[in-house]
Amino acid sequence: MAYPNDRKYSSDHEWLLVEGDEATVGITDFAQDQLGAVVYVDLPAQGDSFSAGDAIGEVESVKSVSEIYLPVSGEVIAVNEALTDNPGTINEDAYDEGWIVRIRLNDPSEVDALLDAAGYEASLG
Amino acid sequence: MTDVATDGLQRTPLYDEHVQLGARMVPFAGYEMPVQYAGIPEEHRATRESVGIFDISHMAEFRVSDGSGGTAAKAWLQRMLTNDLDRIDDIGAAQYTLLLDDAGHIIDDLIVYNTGAEYLIIANASNRANDFAWLESHLDDGVQIVDESDRTALIAVQGPQSVDVVTELAGGADAWTAPERFHIAQATLDGTIPVLVARTGYTGEDGVELVVPNEAAPAVWRLLLSFPQVTPVGLGARDTLRLEMGYHLYGSDMDRTRNPIEAGLGWVCPKSKSGYSGADVVAAAREDGVAEKLVHLQVQGGIPREGYGVYDGDTQIGVIGSGSHSPTLCTGVATAYVPARYAEPGRELTVHIRKKVSPAVVVKPPFLKK
């Protein structure tokens, strides 16, 4: 499984691709593989604000459902609505087409506490 | 089925095969079983479109005989089981049936095969000990029941091309003819492996279940997988396949608190038959009606899972028993016991899927109309 070096990771299996004070958020290859084929996603609305650690939505497969946690605080500025009709995109392309939300970071320095690719991969054991 | 893993779970004779195939193993009914290989939707589709094979060796096999032509064994089973064994007097015939306690509650659902020399019963793994104890304690003189489960592996071969595959393994159409549906026959696979081939299953597809001695199970499994159209399928897709057909799962859709009429299994309890344990309760339930019935619910916008509430407006009227996602229909599919007045097909209800209120409609099974 792949963990691209251009982004940060949470121990709850989300990734963040940070660009200035914005970040794109998704779930990792490990997370999508553990879930199996995703059949529903529950997404937040544009404009919703969240604190670090809040659940912003859900991804659900036949086997199980897991919450998507936002590891930093911020406001949702875009939502990947295409996932509603094609939730399997998360399995096929977790790091690109399978993105979940884009947020404006309240405090870009919060990102520093997240794992890098090597750290995340090590955390998987 | 005698290997015992370190954590107390048993392993089927196919355990090593599953691990080699990269299966995700989970505890189920006291066994370490494969829940999936490539993925539930792919395995589900393979079974609907070509052939899926399933290790169901955890299931129990009992043999009932009387050493004198079967009359005593049949008479005894007639008193133990709800369905009418007169219907399977032809050698090789089989039927779905129920074992009830004296209160008419369901101890287990079973398939009984008339193999000629004896009756073969296939039962749920989780009920093996209960079933056997009940049957043994009610045994007639001159009738024997033997628990063959630890010596016997069971491999289901299901899907539109499954009979072609098994026929080829049995020597081709010139040498062997598959039994009709709900019948059982002998076969020799690959010229050396004697098996029983039952034209039964739990998927809604044509297919067979192979009763195989433990030691031959890995060879049969590999022979089956040597066909390019065959895909190994885990318990995950076994559940979505059976639920699309509305087939009952013991423990989720019925148990020791439900009678066959509540469970929608009156068709396995012929009106013409009496004298089996629980028969009076079944007759009364049929006559007087029941307070609650099992309904099949098609659900939009989420996956209804076991334990979620079923509502009429703000009033909770039931709880999801079986629930999953139908890979074929792309909707939620579920069962629940609800007050009988809600059981009419077309009745609109809701299921509370965590924070969401999802619309549900009562449908007549199967969900998947073929």
Side-chain angles (χ1 to χ4, degrees):
Chain A
M1 265 171 271
Y3 306 103
N5 281 319
D6 59 355
R7 59 197 79 197
K8 294 287 199 172
Y9 296 85
S10 77
S11 53
D12 290 317
H13 314 293
E14 289 81 23
W15 56 260
L16 270 81
L17 184 60
V18 181
E19 290 157 296
D21 66 346
E22 292 180 10
T24 308
V25 182
I27 68 168
T28 67
D29 207 12
F30 175 83
Q32 69 78 18
D33 183 66
Q34 287 291 309
L35 269 172
V38 176
V39 288
Y40 291 103
V41 288
D42 190 31
L43 300 166
Q46 198 175 323
D48 285 355
S49 277
F50 295 98
S51 303
D54 281 356
I56 61 167
E58 289 176 341
V59 274
E60 183 162 24
S61 68
V62 174
K63 251 189 324 185
S64 63
V65 54
S66 35
E67 294 195 290
I68 308 160
Y69 295 101
L70 191 63
V72 294
S73 58
E75 181 192 333
V76 176
I77 53 174
V79 176
N80 187 359
E81 301 287 356
L83 294 178
T84 305
D85 288 333
N86 293 299
T89 307
I90 289 177
N91 300 106
E92 290 150 19
D93 194 2
Y95 294 120
D96 189 10
E97 294 287 313
W99 67 279
I100 292 168
V101 292
R102 186 142 47 238
I103 58 164
R104 178 166 296 114
L105 299 163
N106 288 353
D107 176 3
S109 74
E110 286 180 338
V111 171
D112 298 342
L114 300 178
L115 300 165
D116 62 13
Y120 175 68
E121 198 165 358
S123 78
L124 301 175
Chain B
M1 314 207 322
T2 43
D3 278 357
V4 179
T6 47
D7 49 1
L9 293 172
Q10 288 187 285
R11 292 174 171 178
T12 78
L14 297 171
Y15 175 84
D16 291 342
E17 307 297 318
H18 304 318
V19 171
Q20 264 177 31
L21 288 165
R24 209 160 278 174
M25 305 298 288
V26 296
F28 182 81
Y31 287 84
E32 269 187 281
M33 298 298 290
V35 66
Q36 66 165 62
Y37 305 83
I40 293 171
E42 296 94 312
E43 294 166 30
H44 184 105
R45 205 173 309 119
T47 307
R48 291 264 177 260
E49 291 173 3
S50 46
V51 184
I53 61 171
F54 307 68
D55 178 12
I56 51 171
S57 303
H58 59 304
M59 296 191 79
E61 297 85 15
F62 308 134
R63 292 179 187 272
V64 177
S65 60
D66 57 21
S68 61
T71 313
K74 178 183 167 187
W76 175 66
L77 285 174
Q78 283 284 38
R79 285 189 291 105
M80 292 295 102
L81 305 175
T82 62
N83 212 339
D84 188 350
L85 282 104
D86 286 348
R87 294 176 177 178
I88 58 165
D89 272 341
D90 289 344
I91 291 173
Q95 70 185 184
Y96 180 60
T97 191
L98 298 171
L99 179 65
L100 304 183
D101 64 21
D102 295 326
H105 293 148
I106 302 170
I107 299 174
D108 203 1
D109 61 335
L110 314 165
I111 295 186
V112 183
Y113 302 88
N114 175 4
T115 66
E118 57 193 11
Y119 289 96
L120 169 68
I121 296 176
I122 297 188
N124 284 298
S126 55
N127 291 329
R128 174 182 167 189
N130 277 343
D131 292 355
F132 195 77
W134 177 272
L135 290 168
E136 205 177 30
S137 69
H138 289 77
L139 210 54
D140 278 355
D141 286 346
V143 179
Q144 294 92 43
I145 180 164
V146 181
D147 184 346
E148 294 276 0
S149 311
D150 284 338
R151 287 189 282 277
T152 311
L154 202 56
I155 299 171
V157 187
Q158 301 280 301
Q161 297 160 39
S162 49
V163 171
D164 295 343
V165 166
V166 172
T167 301
E168 197 169 327
L169 280 178
D174 295 338
W176 187 78
T177 304
E180 292 169 37
R181 290 196 191 218
F182 262 83
H183 282 69
I184 194 166
Q186 294 180 316
T188 303
L189 303 187
D190 203 34
T192 53
I193 307 168
V195 299
L196 287 174
V197 181
R199 190 93 171 254
T200 46
Y202 197 44
T203 62
E205 298 301 324
D206 190 9
V208 301
E209 292 168 305
L210 303 175
V211 185
V212 183
N214 271 359
E215 56 278 12
V220 172
W221 183 260
R222 286 178 191 189
L223 283 168
L224 289 163
L225 281 180
S226 71
F227 289 79
Q229 62 269 51
V230 172
T231 301
V233 182
L235 293 179
R238 183 167 163 83
D239 192 55
T240 53
L241 287 158
R242 70 96 194 163
L243 190 51
E244 280 186 347
M245 298 311 296
Y247 295 158
H248 290 61
L249 173 63
Y250 194 88
S252 297
D253 299 319
M254 70 262 196
D255 56 26
R256 281 296 273 272
T257 70
R258 297 293 180 181
N259 71 48
I261 305 302
E262 293 174 295
L265 292 171
W267 64 276
V268 213
C269 309
K271 281 183 201 168
S272 55
K273 193 185 161 187
S274 58
Y276 58 88
S277 72
D280 295 347
V281 177
V282 173
R286 192 171 256 146
E287 182 73 16
D288 305 339
V290 289
E292 293 196 326
K293 283 185 179 169
L294 187 74
V295 294
H296 292 75
L297 296 170
Q298 193 152 8
V299 182
Q300 302 297 333
I303 302 182
R305 296 182 191 270
E306 187 173 355
Y308 291 179
V310 180
Y311 286 76
D312 173 33
D314 295 332
T315 310
Q316 185 172 355
I317 59 163
V319 173
I320 298 295
S322 289
S324 192
H325 172 77
S326 160
T328 311
L329 303 169
C330 294
T331 67
V333 286
T335 64
Y337 281 94
V338 297
R341 65 181 181 279
Y342 295 105
E344 200 57 37
R347 188 70 160 80
E348 290 178 3
L349 300 169
T350 61
V351 179
H352 287 198
I353 299 181
R354 300 178 299 282
K355 285 165 271 175
K356 270 183 302 195
V357 176
S358 294
V361 61
V362 175
V363 300
K364 191 174 167 351
F367 292 106
L368 185 62
K369 320 283 184 203
K370 305 199 86 181

